[in-house]
Amino acid sequence: VSQVANLTLVNSACDMVSTAYASAKESHPYIRSVCDAAEKGVRSVTEATASCVQPVLTTLEPHVTAASDYASKGLDKLGEKLPLLQKPVEQIITDTKELVSSRVADAKDAVSS
């Protein structure tokens, strides 16, 4: 999970969502009260389940470790094949706009000729 969270694309997307969430909470009092209640509920559920889940996690630790190692190797290969994962969302949007504009300009040129 930490390896996925550290991918530039994922990290920048999370930052964008977090900023939008904070802005919405700040701008709209009704949204703030709903979000605060939801956050409190999530914290309560997390705290309640943590103690119940811990014995299961301890038992499954060797399997989780093996799965984590396998997933880590897969993510490394995915990162090599998709360099897009190492770019922030803003860069991907800019690159996509430029590519679309270029293709549209090429199509316009082809039609006009």
Side-chain angles (χ1 to χ4, degrees):
V1 172
S2 63
Q3 190 174 359
V4 170
N6 287 330
L7 290 171
T8 304
L9 175 62
V10 174
N11 196 323
S12 69
C14 288
D15 287 345
M16 288 178 71
V17 170
S18 178
T19 300
Y21 178 77
S23 175
K25 278 180 65 173
E26 187 177 308
S27 302
H28 306 285
Y30 296 118
I31 292 176
R32 181 183 313 127
S33 61
V34 169
C35 290
D36 288 345
E39 289 170 14
K40 186 177 179 181
V42 168
R43 273 193 295 276
S44 297
V45 169
T46 301
E47 291 168 3
T49 58
S51 60
C52 298
V53 172
Q54 190 57 48
V56 174
L57 289 177
T58 303
T59 303
L60 294 175
E61 186 175 358
H63 304 291
V64 171
T65 300
S68 179
D69 291 344
Y70 183 74
S72 179
K73 290 175 186 172
L75 282 170
D76 289 342
K77 287 185 179 184
L78 190 62
E80 291 170 11
K81 301 218 183 267
L82 293 174
L84 182 76
L85 295 173
Q86 302 306 326
K87 292 182 179 182
V89 172
E90 298 86 359
Q91 169 114 34
I92 294 169
I93 291 170
T94 301
D95 292 350
T96 302
K97 285 179 181 178
E98 289 174 4
L99 178 63
V100 169
S101 294
S102 171
R103 299 290 187 218
V104 169
D106 291 347
K108 283 173 69 176
D109 292 344
V111 169
S112 66
S113 65

